[in-house]
Amino acid sequence: MLYKSVSTLSTLLANLVLENKHATQQPTCFIQRLSPDIVVDCLFPLLCVEEIICLRRVNKLFFLLTQEPIVWQRILQRLAIPTPPLSTKFRPGVKLPDHEAEEIVTRAVTVDDRFRDANTMLHTSFKLTIPEIVLELKLLIGGKHLVASVARRRNTGWTYALAIMNVEPHERDPSTTLALSEDLESRAYCLDAKLMRYHGEDGIMISHVRRFWSPDPQAIGSQYELDEQPQINLDEQVFDAYSGEKYPQEFECECTFVSIIDLERAMDPHAKARLGARNIFRPVRQYWSALRIYEPVLYSLHERAHVSFTEQPRYTTTSQPPDRVVFLPIESDATPSVLICNRIPARATWMHRVRQLRVLPGQNQVLVVRSVYHSQFRSEHAIELYNLPPKGHIAEYPCKQRVMLERDGVIRNFHLSDFYLPPTYTVSNNQDRYPPISIYMVPNEPQMVFHYLLWPTRTQGTTDNASWIYDLSESIVAQSGREVDSNINLRILPGIHRALAWGHQLFDRRESPHTLLFQRYICRQRGPLRTDWQDKPQEKMLARGRKEIPQLNIFAYVENVNINTFPEFFEKGIASITWDESIGRTCAVCGDSNVITVMDFAKTDGMDRSALTKNW
């Protein structure tokens, strides 16, 4: 049954177009005699993107009908190109902001084309200036909101805060932006931020880690008084370097919630009663530990906000306690669950360390990447699946599945893609399966980068009740490997289908190392054997289809990112960089700077759709 999808305004305008000075005559084009509902609901779904755009040039009636949000929402659902999620659930009765779906189509097509082009270039870039020094950045999905750990210079030293800002280059002066901040007792490390729901309210959940000198003299084990604690400012030290410290520390993981409604009111320059930063930042959960807290990851389980992280104890020659994976519910004060990964058989005496983790709420499991070290130059690496522990339990659990990676030796970095959809968003593509998980690793010797994809597999059952889960038995597929200059420490900004890579001098230990290269990577998407996955996804919504993935240039330099266009990156270095794969937006900041550089691979200049019809 057809339902009315055309807005009342467009229907009235379409009727006015027909009721012109020649209204006494029948329309010469028989298609104009059809109801707008029939055109939008029955005819437009049969057309591709280029044909929809061409119809816009026929007359005023089709110009109005092709701008209906429902038309572009349906195109998004059928696109095979990776697209950012819509800001509202796609359901009858809920209307998206004007032209949002159409702009998403434009961005999705252009960013996909640019990454598949052998000569990849940025489309545009601009700078945002805030009053504080930016220390760390996190860009939320959709590329609109940016969360930062910032510092302010005072007469007595430095003070620290969390800041949140809009990245809106076309609605405000690109040279400055409005940033709201909340003061903190110390510097915030390991930022993570996601659009989540907290007690039924939609907003942004922010997690961060802070550290302090331990105030307990009994826990110190050293002969000194409390007033003799070291005069070292922890906030000025690198977070990773603490193994050689003489005095112990305490770590705090704190989660802060910002309501979307309050944020929009606080940032609206035309609002009569604007909210201050203190009214929108709400600390909702804290967790203290004497063990180092590493890389918190936010996720939703049973529609409730959670955070998970690794606690890493100190290793000594006589004691090698295992890492602990903590699962902390945010919406209640319930006791956290702790998973202690069991030691790998035949390597029980080796040192085990958790490198990365991703919670898989859909199958109630957690994906863990671990390294086991026999010596400084010999190590092995495993990808494992564990069941989530029961609430409040602390125990050692065996893994359900384990795959030992073929690459032995020291792995400098592991990077996992983080596919997360907020509860207020909906998947643009009409797919009944999860996306793959990308696993990037950078070995030390030889200096290379390897990429694996963990594909979802369909469970046994009929077509109606079968589901997709991540299974390690047959679904980890090697995608590519590339050798890197042995003098460069390569960093990866991971994505599911594509990634960015930047590198600096191998032994440059500064927080803002000088950049030596900036490249893009696109995945060939090789699927597991005996499945219907294909290396070249077909695109039915584009008349020309998708561009071919270059066979020899899956890694390529971004041509207009160099020392001439961005001298600050190559001379001062990059202190923090973040990106959103779905929208092709990257934000970076140099050391000791309050200027954020925003780089867009996608076409973002308003309603200009020439990017979709170029060369067609």
Side-chain angles (χ1 to χ4, degrees):
M1 179 181 294
L2 296 177
Y3 62 89
K4 282 205 169 187
S5 60
V6 182
S7 64
T8 305
L9 177 61
S10 295
T11 304
L12 293 175
L13 291 174
N15 291 335
L16 289 175
V17 172
L18 294 177
E19 294 174 3
N20 51 25
K21 59 183 180 180
H22 302 292
T24 57
Q25 303 177 2
Q26 290 291 336
T28 56
C29 180
F30 287 96
I31 196 173
Q32 293 189 12
R33 301 181 184 180
L34 297 177
S35 167
D37 288 339
I38 295 178
V39 175
V40 171
D41 294 334
C42 297
L43 298 183
F44 283 180
L46 304 177
L47 306 178
C48 63
V49 176
E50 298 94 317
E51 293 168 338
I52 294 291
I53 295 177
C54 291
L55 276 177
R56 179 170 295 180
R57 305 174 182 178
V58 173
N59 55 30
K60 293 181 180 179
L61 172 61
F62 284 106
F63 178 82
L64 296 171
L65 293 181
T66 54
Q67 292 196 80
E68 280 298 322
I70 189 68
V71 175
W72 295 96
Q73 292 174 37
R74 288 170 176 164
I75 291 175
L76 276 176
Q77 285 197 320
R78 297 164 59 191
L79 274 176
I81 292 176
T83 58
L86 301 174
S87 63
T88 311
K89 284 285 188 181
F90 175 64
R91 58 183 184 271
V94 177
K95 187 177 183 299
L96 286 171
D98 292 340
H99 308 304
E100 179 185 0
E102 188 174 358
E103 291 177 355
I104 289 177
V105 172
T106 302
R107 291 189 174 190
V109 174
T110 55
V111 73
D112 189 72
D113 285 348
R114 289 183 181 274
F115 267 77
R116 287 171 177 260
D117 195 337
N119 300 318
T120 302
M121 299 183 67
L122 292 176
H123 177 265
T124 186
S125 66
F126 58 95
K127 299 183 184 297
L128 300 176
T129 303
I130 64 175
E132 300 89 355
I133 300 298
V134 181
L135 305 173
E136 190 173 345
L137 295 171
K138 178 63 178 181
L139 185 64
L140 277 79
I141 189 171
K144 180 179 179 181
H145 296 104
L146 183 65
V147 177
S149 171
V150 299
R152 305 186 186 97
R153 194 187 303 271
R154 305 296 188 191
N155 294 332
T156 57
W158 291 93
T159 61
Y160 300 91
L162 279 178
I164 186 169
M165 64 202 80
N166 276 344
V167 186
E168 298 289 347
H170 302 298
E171 296 182 5
R172 61 178 80 252
D173 183 3
S175 62
T176 184
T177 186
L178 176 62
L180 302 177
S181 59
E182 173 74 359
D183 292 339
L184 299 174
E185 296 180 18
S186 62
R187 178 175 174 176
Y189 296 89
C190 304
L191 276 184
D192 191 21
K194 289 184 173 67
L195 293 162
M196 306 183 79
R197 182 170 292 160
Y198 177 73
H199 288 304
E201 188 176 6
D202 299 329
I204 299 173
M205 187 69 70
I206 306 170
S207 68
H208 65 275
V209 178
R210 293 183 290 161
R211 58 181 180 172
F212 309 87
W213 292 118
S214 175
D216 185 5
Q218 301 299 326
I220 293 172
S222 180
Q223 297 179 356
Y224 73 96
E225 301 295 335
L226 285 178
D227 57 358
E228 297 178 359
Q229 288 188 6
Q231 301 300 315
I232 299 176
N233 188 349
L234 286 175
D235 298 325
E236 298 177 358
Q237 307 301 315
V238 178
F239 185 74
D240 292 333
Y242 85 99
S243 58
E245 294 165 355
K246 180 180 179 181
Y247 308 107
Q249 303 173 17
E250 287 188 355
F251 295 84
E252 179 194 20
C253 178
E254 182 176 81
C255 297
T256 303
F257 181 75
V258 178
S259 169
I260 286 292
I261 297 178
D262 292 343
L263 179 63
E264 292 177 350
R265 288 179 56 191
M267 290 190 169
D268 185 4
H270 305 292
K272 295 182 179 179
R274 294 177 60 184
L275 295 175
R278 294 184 179 181
N279 297 324
I280 69 169
F281 286 89
R282 287 183 276 170
V284 293
R285 191 70 197 266
Q286 295 83 28
Y287 178 88
W288 288 84
S289 175
L291 306 179
R292 178 175 179 267
I293 297 177
Y294 178 75
E295 296 291 344
V297 178
L298 293 165
Y299 65 97
S300 288
L301 182 63
H302 307 307
E303 299 185 354
R304 294 183 178 274
H306 290 70
V307 63
S308 179
F309 47 84
T310 304
E311 288 183 326
Q312 293 184 345
R314 297 191 183 193
Y315 279 67
T316 65
T317 56
T318 59
S319 176
Q320 295 182 357
D323 292 351
R324 296 154 43 101
V325 181
V326 180
F327 305 91
L328 182 68
I330 297 177
E331 298 191 25
S332 67
D333 295 330
T335 304
S337 305
V338 178
L339 166 67
I340 301 177
C341 304
N342 66 337
R343 294 181 178 272
I344 298 177
R347 300 167 181 83
T349 58
W350 295 21
M351 182 177 69
H352 290 59
R353 174 132 290 178
V354 175
R355 304 292 297 273
Q356 289 286 341
L357 64 90
R358 287 293 181 270
V359 179
L360 310 176
Q363 60 192 70
N364 208 40
Q365 290 183 322
V366 57
L367 179 72
V368 177
V369 178
R370 279 203 298 174
S371 295
V372 289
Y373 299 91
H374 181 265
S375 65
Q376 182 180 359
F377 304 103
R378 183 185 177 189
S379 60
E380 298 180 7
H381 315 276
I383 302 176
E384 302 168 321
L385 275 178
Y386 292 85
N387 289 338
L388 293 180
K391 294 181 179 179
H393 284 223
I394 302 177
E396 182 174 344
Y397 294 92
C399 72
K400 293 300 179 181
Q401 289 183 320
R402 176 182 291 123
V403 173
M404 301 299 297
L405 296 178
E406 298 177 358
R407 312 293 175 183
D408 294 338
V410 178
I411 303 296
R412 182 178 294 112
N413 299 313
F414 278 97
H415 305 273
L416 299 184
S417 62
D418 186 13
F419 178 82
Y420 175 81
L421 286 180
T424 56
Y425 278 54
T426 183
V427 180
S428 303
N429 306 83
N430 188 16
Q431 300 177 353
D432 60 348
R433 59 195 175 202
Y434 294 139
I437 296 177
S438 282
I439 304 171
Y440 301 87
M441 67 177 188
V442 183
N444 194 11
E445 292 182 1
Q447 176 80 343
M448 299 187 70
V449 55
F450 294 98
H451 178 215
Y452 297 86
L453 277 182
L454 172 58
W455 293 97
T457 57
R458 185 182 290 275
T459 59
Q460 298 296 329
T462 62
T463 304
D464 296 333
N465 59 16
S467 60
W468 292 86
I469 63 170
Y470 296 101
D471 188 346
L472 301 183
S473 58
E474 297 181 352
S475 301
I476 296 182
V477 182
Q479 300 295 313
S480 60
R482 178 180 182 271
E483 189 172 357
V484 184
D485 189 338
S486 59
N487 295 320
I488 293 180
N489 184 10
L490 193 67
R491 305 289 187 92
I492 304 293
L493 292 176
I496 301 172
H497 307 279
R498 43 190 175 245
L500 292 177
W502 64 283
H504 56 82
Q505 193 70 29
L506 183 61
F507 299 105
D508 192 342
R509 305 301 184 187
R510 294 172 295 182
E511 287 195 70
S512 180
H514 295 177
T515 303
L516 298 179
L517 63 86
F518 192 90
Q519 295 181 327
R520 69 96 177 99
Y521 165 75
I522 185 166
C523 176
R524 293 195 179 101
Q525 301 185 39
R526 295 190 176 111
L529 299 177
R530 300 186 301 277
T531 65
D532 58 349
W533 299 100
Q534 298 184 12
D535 289 355
K536 301 177 181 179
Q538 301 298 316
E539 180 54 75
K540 298 180 180 179
M541 290 307 299
L542 299 177
R544 66 169 175 85
R546 300 173 72 176
K547 284 186 176 181
E548 296 289 337
I549 296 178
Q551 297 300 313
L552 301 178
N553 295 315
I554 58 173
F555 281 92
Y557 285 92
V558 181
E559 294 191 356
N560 53 350
V561 179
N562 50 57
I563 193 172
N564 296 321
T565 55
F566 297 94
E568 63 274 15
F569 293 165
F570 295 84
E571 296 175 358
K572 297 181 180 179
I574 296 178
S576 180
I577 185 170
T578 179
W579 90 309
D580 179 17
E581 173 194 9
S582 64
I583 202 172
R585 171 166 287 175
T586 306
C587 299
V589 65
C590 299
D592 197 24
S593 173
N594 65 335
V595 179
I596 302 171
T597 302
V598 183
M599 299 175 285
D600 281 322
F601 286 91
K603 192 173 182 64
T604 59
D605 45 351
M607 298 304 297
D608 181 9
R609 306 302 168 210
S610 60
L612 293 176
T613 56
K614 185 178 180 180
N615 300 326
W616 293 348

